[in-house]
Amino acid sequence: MNADDDAKWLEWVSRQFETIAGEDREIDLQEFKTALKVKESFFAERFFALFDSDGSGTITLQELLGALNLLIHGNTTDKLKFLFQVYDLDGSGSIDPDELRTVLQSCLKESSISLPEEKLDDLTLALFESADKDHNGSITFEELREELDNFPEVMENLTISAASWLKPPSSKKRPQMPRFLTSAYWHNNTGKLAVLAAYIGVNILLFTLAALKYQASGASLMVARGGGQCLNFNCSFIVVLMLRRCLTWLRATWLARVFPLDQNVEFHQLVGYVVFGFTLIHTIAHVVNFVRLSQLEDSPFQFWEYLLTTRPGIGWVHGTASLTGIVLQLLILIMLVCSCSFVRRRGHFEVFYWTHLSYIWVWVLLIIHGPHFWKWLLAPGLLFFLEKVVGLVLSRMATLCIVEVNLLSSKVTHLVISRPSFFHYKPGDYIYLNIPAIAKYEWHPFTISSAPEQEGTIWLHIRSQGQWTNRLYNYFKASDPICFGVKRLTQSLKFRRSQRKLQETKIHVLGAHSANTAQGVVATSTENTVQLMNYTSEKLPQQNKEDLIDYGKEREEKVQPRSVFPQLNENHRFCNIKCYLDGPYGTPTRRIFASEHAVLIGAGIGITPFASILQSIMYRHQKRKRSCPNCHYSWCENVKGDEMKLKKVDFIWINRDQRSFEWFVSLLTKLEMDQAEEEPGAHFLELHMYMTSALGKNDMKAIGLQMALDLLAKKENKDSITGLKTRTQPGRPDWGKVFGKVAAENKGKVQVFFCGSPALAKVLKSHCEQLNFRFFKENF
């Protein structure tokens, strides 16, 4: 803090103190806890005891300001002494292992981290043994300071003001220039802005030409006709933007480099708002014209007759223009409101889905309402109809079944669906899923989380956030835990035998390595499911291997390269549920393999497209890297340039809590094993994990925990939170540092791919524009 900020903050603290303290102008422990907003009372009690210098049981304004001034203006030693006093529970001048364990346990609760008691003991001992330099069974202040010298980032954070404890008001300055007016924005959105300018120009031209034809009929009719012509164009153009199959095909052509095809949904939403705007203009202009006509001396009709009856004969189909116009206005308003994010993203997707189907009635009414609309709709409507027919035919070409279900934490449903031989897709593609047992006529979009190289099955990971997804989760939650459907006992027997063989051989589920390695691959699972296992010839006798191979052949499954499957647990269901797929459809992530340096950012369940992409990336990377086990000669196999240009991949996964990492931890573990073969510091793929509920290293309530986690991770070579080698970072990423590091690596042109919340997308896009990174958001 500078002097001005310090003065303002102290003034703010004084006001806050007066608000909290009340008339007695003193803060008791309960009021102090409320002010700190802590999850656990431990730290509030420790801070309170240290702030209460006279031991009166209350804190005065002078005591509070004195303590905070010490932490703000004091040197590093002063702050370390305060930290030491927090940990020295009995005030003996040293910290014993039990005191340290008590503090770390409270640190875990503050960060919403759940670890077994044994792991907490390991954390305590790792930090204690490292800090207890003289091995006398206690940590002195000097030993703590010496230990902190090994963590320079912690020492740096200790210089940060303690103001954050009392949640001061933000002092961030607003940017002087709006983002849309910056040169970086124009440079990175040239194609989008060009198309937008052309779109605006077309609307202005159509409006002007239509209005000039009725120049002699008055201004209101000119505006009505101009708005009507623009509606003809926009109500047909909005269909073009949702021709998913056509757009998926166009993404593979040179047009994808010219037109912003990846932003079709964004343009679709924009055109929707424009349609609503022109309907208001068109309707209001006609109402004004009806008022004018009804006020003429020789007018045979009153205003309400023009508006609500067919008697004036307005319109080319039995004079129904006014009535159909009113119905259209209501339908478009309902569709617009129910398409807003507060409906779609807050558990009411079905409301959006069913109201959006009103577009069929909108088209019918528009054809009746306007004499020329059918001409505008003819071409896009025909393409839209053909897409629907093709999708319906393809979805019924093969009987698909959900063969396995794994119910994960945070109510995530992992579906394994049988994959027909003709179903081809790219990493990151999505499909529309229909499960008649859940809802006969509802189709919902989900990203495919398995790699295209994985034959036989398709994976979907679906988080329960709405009515349909909740019904899906509850449907399988209430089902038989082993299997259900046809031949239940037969499938159960096969499952139990497969588990017995797994127990006997003690094989870990690690995925297939490669067809050219010395390892064998066995496919073991139930019908339509692949479970891949590595084993060496030294681990299994020949008879056991033959038994397992025969067992795999009984399943009639193909061996998949590098697929990773979660281990079986009590939430694993084997089933035979009919379903239908419409797709696949392309997304912006198809550009990843044409990138040189790709940064993949997934927030929560937003990892699903990247689960497929990461598997495919590593498969292609390993495909082009080969080495002889005898002479260690290395070479690269031929891989098409447009198939794999990647030099570096950074994957960033941000989760709210610890349990959410369960979704794809097995996949990430396999990817880390692949990376172990790379030279240190030259990894092709780097993982970055963030847990937002965990307190950052700039919070005194988490310093000890983060130090202990770092020490134990180095000792065990794995993270205590996820079990991965990659250390899980607390809090939210500092995007300035993250992208600065990416730019400094200079691995080629950087492209950032994101799947997650729109709010975070805006932040990332702003950073990318400043560094001239291309930014793509998963959006369908």
Side-chain angles (χ1 to χ4, degrees):
M1 280 189 178
N2 55 39
D4 292 337
D5 289 340
D6 188 25
K8 291 179 181 178
W9 180 76
L10 289 174
E11 182 182 353
W12 180 83
V13 170
S14 298
R15 291 198 304 269
Q16 289 295 102
F17 178 87
E18 293 174 358
T19 302
I20 297 170
E23 296 180 357
D24 60 358
R25 298 185 62 79
E26 292 184 348
I27 296 178
D28 60 24
L29 178 58
Q30 189 57 45
E31 291 170 334
F32 190 72
K33 290 179 181 179
T34 304
L36 286 183
K37 299 179 180 179
V38 293
K39 299 177 183 177
E40 281 291 312
S41 61
F42 172 83
F43 286 103
E45 292 171 358
R46 294 300 300 151
F47 294 154
F48 184 86
L50 295 174
F51 283 16
D52 182 16
S53 57
D54 60 4
S56 63
T58 59
I59 299 176
T60 64
L61 176 60
Q62 289 72 24
E63 288 177 325
L64 178 63
L65 292 179
L68 294 180
N69 268 312
L70 174 68
L71 292 170
I72 295 170
H73 300 295
N75 55 32
T76 303
T77 301
D78 293 331
K79 297 171 184 177
L80 281 175
K81 285 182 178 178
F82 183 86
L83 175 65
F84 184 83
Q85 289 175 321
V86 171
Y87 280 55
D88 183 12
L89 303 183
D90 58 7
S92 62
S94 63
I95 304 171
D96 61 42
D98 292 302
E99 288 177 319
L100 184 60
R101 189 184 190 280
T102 301
V103 176
L104 292 183
Q105 187 174 33
S106 297
C107 289
L108 288 171
K109 293 179 180 178
E110 282 289 333
S111 295
S112 300
I113 299 175
S114 176
L115 296 178
E117 292 294 322
E118 296 79 5
K119 182 62 69 175
L120 176 58
D121 292 341
D122 293 340
L123 283 172
T124 303
L125 293 176
L127 179 56
F128 190 88
E129 290 175 354
S130 178
D132 184 15
K133 308 299 181 183
D134 57 7
H135 306 291
N136 67 345
S138 64
I139 302 173
T140 64
F141 172 74
E142 293 299 329
E143 288 176 327
L144 178 63
R145 179 162 56 182
E146 185 179 350
E147 179 65 22
L148 283 170
D149 288 338
N150 299 325
F151 296 86
E153 70 280 4
V154 173
M155 294 297 293
E156 178 185 354
N157 288 322
L158 278 177
T159 65
I160 297 174
S161 168
S164 59
W165 298 351
L166 295 179
K167 310 294 183 184
S170 176
S171 60
K172 292 183 179 179
K173 296 181 179 179
R174 294 183 179 181
Q176 297 180 351
M177 183 181 295
R179 168 173 162 263
F180 299 102
L181 298 180
T182 61
S183 58
Y185 177 83
W186 285 76
H187 175 76
N188 288 281
N189 295 275
T190 305
K192 173 184 175 180
L193 294 173
V195 171
L196 186 60
Y199 170 72
I200 294 173
V202 169
N203 277 281
I204 292 174
L205 179 63
L206 291 174
F207 187 95
T208 303
L209 292 177
L212 290 176
K213 289 183 180 181
Y214 294 88
Q215 193 171 5
S217 302
S220 60
L221 192 59
M222 290 177 63
V223 173
R225 295 302 184 184
Q229 188 74 321
C230 289
L231 282 172
N232 286 335
F233 165 67
N234 283 282
C235 289
S236 55
F237 180 59
I238 200 171
V239 183
V240 175
L241 296 171
M242 297 310 291
L243 296 174
R244 297 184 181 89
R245 292 187 184 278
C246 293
L247 291 173
T248 299
W249 175 75
L250 289 175
R251 281 189 175 95
T253 68
W254 61 272
L255 291 173
R257 297 190 295 271
V258 179
F259 297 101
L261 300 179
D262 296 326
Q263 296 174 314
N264 66 303
V265 175
E266 184 179 338
F267 273 101
H268 176 80
Q269 294 170 343
L270 172 64
V271 175
Y273 287 113
V274 171
V275 166
F276 179 70
F278 275 121
T279 57
L280 287 178
I281 294 172
H282 182 71
T283 301
I284 292 171
H286 269 308
V287 169
V288 172
N289 188 50
F290 291 160
V291 172
R292 182 181 64 84
L293 291 176
S294 64
Q295 291 176 348
L296 295 176
E297 294 182 358
D298 57 346
S299 175
F301 305 107
Q302 297 182 22
F303 169 72
W304 68 270
E305 291 178 300
Y306 280 110
L307 190 64
L308 301 175
T309 70
T310 60
R311 291 178 61 189
I314 300 173
W316 73 304
V317 180
H318 303 296
T320 57
S322 296
L323 293 176
T324 54
I326 294 174
V327 177
L328 281 167
Q329 185 77 60
L330 293 174
L331 284 176
I332 292 173
L333 176 62
I334 292 171
M335 291 177 66
L336 180 70
V337 172
C338 294
S339 300
C340 295
S341 58
F342 69 85
V343 174
R344 291 184 293 110
R345 299 185 182 276
R346 294 190 179 180
H348 303 290
F349 183 85
E350 287 76 9
V351 175
F352 158 76
Y353 177 83
W354 287 108
T355 55
H356 227 61
L357 290 178
S358 301
Y359 70 83
I360 299 173
W361 296 109
V362 170
W363 288 347
V364 172
L365 290 173
L366 281 172
I367 292 173
I368 298 173
H369 180 80
H372 303 294
F373 176 72
W374 68 271
K375 301 174 185 177
W376 290 86
L377 185 64
L378 185 61
L382 181 60
L383 285 175
F384 186 81
F385 175 75
L386 290 176
E387 278 207 358
K388 289 295 183 182
V389 171
V390 170
L392 183 63
V393 171
L394 291 178
S395 66
R396 297 301 194 276
M397 281 183 64
T399 302
L400 303 182
C401 293
I402 301 171
V403 294
E404 283 188 40
V405 179
N406 202 15
L407 303 179
L408 306 177
S409 62
S410 301
K411 298 189 73 175
V412 173
T413 307
H414 173 203
L415 301 181
V416 180
I417 303 174
S418 58
R419 177 183 176 182
S421 58
F422 61 83
F423 189 89
H424 303 288
Y425 63 97
K426 301 290 185 181
D429 284 359
Y430 70 98
I431 50 91
Y432 278 82
L433 173 67
N434 170 253
I435 305 178
I438 307 298
K440 190 172 183 179
Y441 299 106
E442 292 187 26
W443 294 77
H444 294 266
F446 299 106
T447 304
I448 302 173
S449 55
S450 54
E453 291 80 10
Q454 176 180 311
E455 301 176 5
T457 57
I458 303 167
W459 290 3
L460 299 177
H461 284 77
I462 302 170
R463 187 170 186 176
S464 301
Q465 290 182 316
Q467 297 176 8
W468 188 90
T469 51
N470 276 312
R471 291 204 306 270
L472 175 72
Y473 183 89
N474 293 330
Y475 177 80
F476 289 110
K477 187 72 174 177
S479 303
D480 189 299
I482 297 179
C483 60
F484 56 98
V486 297
K487 297 185 178 181
R488 182 180 64 85
L489 293 178
T490 302
Q491 293 187 28
S492 176
L493 179 60
K494 292 179 179 179
F495 171 67
R496 293 184 182 185
R497 287 178 176 176
S498 68
Q499 293 303 294
R500 190 180 302 115
K501 289 181 181 290
L502 291 176
Q503 293 282 343
E504 293 172 355
T505 57
K506 299 182 180 179
I507 298 176
H508 295 288
V509 181
L510 298 175
H513 185 62
S514 170
N516 294 327
T517 63
Q519 292 179 322
V521 182
V522 179
T524 62
S525 182
T526 56
E527 295 179 3
N528 299 313
T529 306
V530 182
Q531 183 102 355
L532 299 176
M533 279 156 280
N534 293 345
Y535 63 96
T536 59
S537 56
E538 292 79 14
K539 289 184 179 180
L540 289 176
Q542 183 64 29
Q543 183 60 45
N544 285 351
K545 286 192 289 185
E546 292 176 355
D547 290 343
L548 285 175
I549 292 173
D550 291 338
Y551 182 78
K553 289 180 179 179
E554 291 177 2
R555 302 297 176 270
E556 298 179 353
E557 296 295 345
K558 298 180 180 179
V559 172
Q560 313 307 324
R562 312 196 71 78
S563 58
V564 182
F565 289 77
Q567 294 182 358
L568 303 181
N569 54 51
E570 65 274 9
N571 289 323
H572 199 147
R573 273 92 170 123
F574 289 84
C575 56
N576 186 19
I577 305 298
K578 183 188 295 185
C579 67
Y580 300 100
L581 302 182
D582 178 20
Y585 298 112
T587 65
T589 52
R590 286 196 170 192
R591 295 173 178 263
I592 284 177
F593 294 100
S595 308
E596 293 178 320
H597 189 168
V599 180
L600 316 180
I601 304 174
I605 198 65
I607 189 182
T608 47
F610 303 131
S612 171
I613 291 163
L614 288 173
Q615 293 178 81
S616 190
I617 283 175
M618 293 310 302
Y619 171 72
R620 299 185 190 197
H621 179 60
Q622 293 295 334
K623 182 179 178 182
R624 68 181 182 182
K625 289 191 66 178
R626 290 289 178 266
S627 62
C628 177
N630 298 322
C631 64
H632 302 291
Y633 173 73
S634 300
W635 74 95
C636 290
E637 292 188 354
N638 293 329
V639 179
K640 295 181 181 179
D642 58 350
E643 186 177 339
M644 185 70 163
K645 293 183 179 179
L646 284 168
K647 300 177 183 177
K648 176 70 184 299
V649 178
D650 283 283
F651 172 63
I652 302 172
W653 190 12
I654 309 164
N655 267 317
R656 183 185 301 274
D657 52 50
Q658 178 185 0
R659 294 183 63 195
S660 298
F661 288 104
E662 175 191 332
W663 300 338
F664 294 97
V665 71
S666 58
L667 166 63
L668 299 179
T669 301
K670 185 63 175 69
L671 295 177
E672 284 189 330
M673 292 177 62
D674 294 333
Q675 289 295 288
E677 303 172 3
E678 303 284 344
E679 296 180 3
H683 287 174
F684 171 74
L685 170 66
E686 284 193 21
L687 305 180
H688 311 269
M689 320 294 286
Y690 290 89
M691 181 175 166
T692 59
S693 68
L695 298 178
K697 294 179 179 179
N698 63 341
D699 195 313
M700 190 170 288
K701 300 188 294 295
I703 289 175
L705 174 62
Q706 295 304 325
M707 291 170 57
L709 288 170
D710 284 341
L711 289 168
L712 192 60
K714 291 178 182 179
K715 180 180 179 180
E716 297 182 347
N717 196 25
K718 68 177 182 179
D719 182 58
S720 298
I721 298 175
T722 62
L724 300 172
K725 292 184 178 180
T726 302
R727 173 77 164 86
T728 302
Q729 299 300 319
R732 303 178 188 279
D734 184 335
W735 295 113
K737 292 183 179 180
V738 170
F739 288 133
K741 180 176 179 292
V742 169
E745 290 180 352
N746 196 24
K747 294 289 186 179
K749 191 173 181 180
V750 178
Q751 295 190 355
V752 179
F753 301 86
F754 171 72
C755 184
S757 69
L760 181 55
K762 292 180 181 179
V763 175
L764 295 175
K765 192 171 185 179
S766 177
H767 282 281
C768 290
E769 287 170 356
Q770 295 174 11
L771 296 170
N772 289 328
F773 293 172
R774 293 292 302 278
F775 178 81
F776 302 95
K777 180 180 180 296
E778 185 83 2
N779 195 5
F780 54 84

